[in-house]
Amino acid sequence: MKKIIKISLILILVFGIGFAGLGAYQTVFREESVYALSKLGSTGSEVKKIQRVLKDLGYYKADIDGIYGSKTKKAVTSFQRDCALTADGICGPKTLLYLGLSDGSSGGYSSQDVNLLAKVISAEARGESYEGQVAVGAVVLNRVAHPSFPDTISGVVYQNGAFSCVNDSNWYQPVAESAKRAAQDALNGWDPSGGAVYYYNPEKTNDKWIRTRTVVKVIGHHYFCV
């Protein structure tokens, strides 16, 4: 009888530990699912989106196959380094934001506002880095939030003399895909300009007043200032 009781206790202990271990495993699995990131070894549609954007930006040269291999990791790392992010080769929420692949909203702006912002970015920052494009969009939004400027995107863009591109041939060029993503990134809160409300290209302007403004960031050919 004692032997049977002892065996029963052992079985209870073993199964108890087993179920506890399973519960712990399920908890860890759920947590990992919630915080899943695209990284080396990942596959799927999100990886394809990452590869496509990086290819458009010139970082990724291989096939868009949805496999997060060494070439994808290298491209992500290079992009992160250029954007002053932690260059770990992992596409976490912040890297996805910078790539324009986050699920962020447009902050209450209409699709017309988003399209107009993308149009300004495309016309004003053609040939600039992706970070430089987002910075131009951020300046527009910083003006919307500033009491000295109109409180709408269209008001800021069409304010007399604000953006020279509105009156030149660049305004009628097709909007670059990168500019569309940059507009969304700016709306999502990325501000590489450092809070600037002005910017200028010192090689293309002789305006003395703009050169008196305090420069807070230089990105590509643009000086961003307050």
Side-chain angles (χ1 to χ4, degrees), residues 18-220:
F19 282 119
L22 179 60
Y25 171 78
Q26 289 174 333
T27 300
V28 171
F29 180 78
R30 284 196 297 270
E31 288 176 354
E32 288 180 348
S33 298
V34 170
Y35 297 103
L37 305 172
S38 286
K39 56 185 178 180
L40 191 64
S42 297
T43 59
S45 59
E46 182 175 83
V47 177
K48 284 186 177 181
K49 292 177 183 178
I50 292 167
Q51 292 173 331
R52 188 171 292 112
V53 173
L54 289 170
K55 194 160 192 170
D56 289 344
L57 295 174
Y59 289 94
Y60 182 69
K61 310 294 184 182
D63 293 333
I64 297 173
D65 55 11
I67 301 172
Y68 206 117
S70 59
K71 292 180 180 179
T72 303
K73 181 180 179 180
K74 182 178 179 181
V76 170
T77 302
S78 296
F79 174 78
Q80 291 171 325
R81 189 176 294 114
D82 288 348
C83 294
L85 296 171
T86 300
D88 55 9
I90 298 173
C91 269
K94 195 166 186 178
T95 299
L96 290 175
L97 170 65
Y98 279 38
L99 285 170
L101 294 175
S102 70
D103 293 326
S105 67
S106 297
Y109 288 106
S110 68
S111 59
Q112 290 84 356
D113 285 329
V114 178
N115 291 337
L116 180 58
L117 184 60
K119 191 175 181 69
V120 173
I121 293 170
S122 187
E124 285 283 301
R126 194 178 305 277
E128 294 295 319
S129 67
Y130 186 68
E131 182 184 11
Q133 292 178 52
V134 178
V136 167
V139 167
V140 174
L141 298 178
N142 290 341
R143 289 190 180 189
V144 171
H146 197 284
S148 298
F149 296 92
D151 59 3
T152 63
I153 290 178
S154 60
V156 165
V157 171
Y158 292 115
Q159 186 176 26
N160 187 35
F163 295 94
S164 60
C165 69
V166 174
N167 300 311
D168 65 31
S169 59
N170 278 333
W171 192 247
Y172 303 100
Q173 296 298 315
V175 176
E177 288 300 317
S178 59
K180 295 176 183 178
R181 292 195 298 274
Q184 190 61 62
D185 273 351
L187 288 164
N188 286 344
W190 183 17
D191 184 3
S193 78
V197 290
Y198 303 101
Y199 65 88
Y200 66 95
N201 184 337
E203 298 176 3
K204 294 184 177 181
T205 183
N206 294 317
D207 188 288
K208 293 182 179 179
W209 179 85
I210 192 65
R211 292 172 182 271
T212 66
R213 310 305 301 182
T214 301
V215 176
V216 294
K217 195 76 174 286
V218 177
I219 306 175

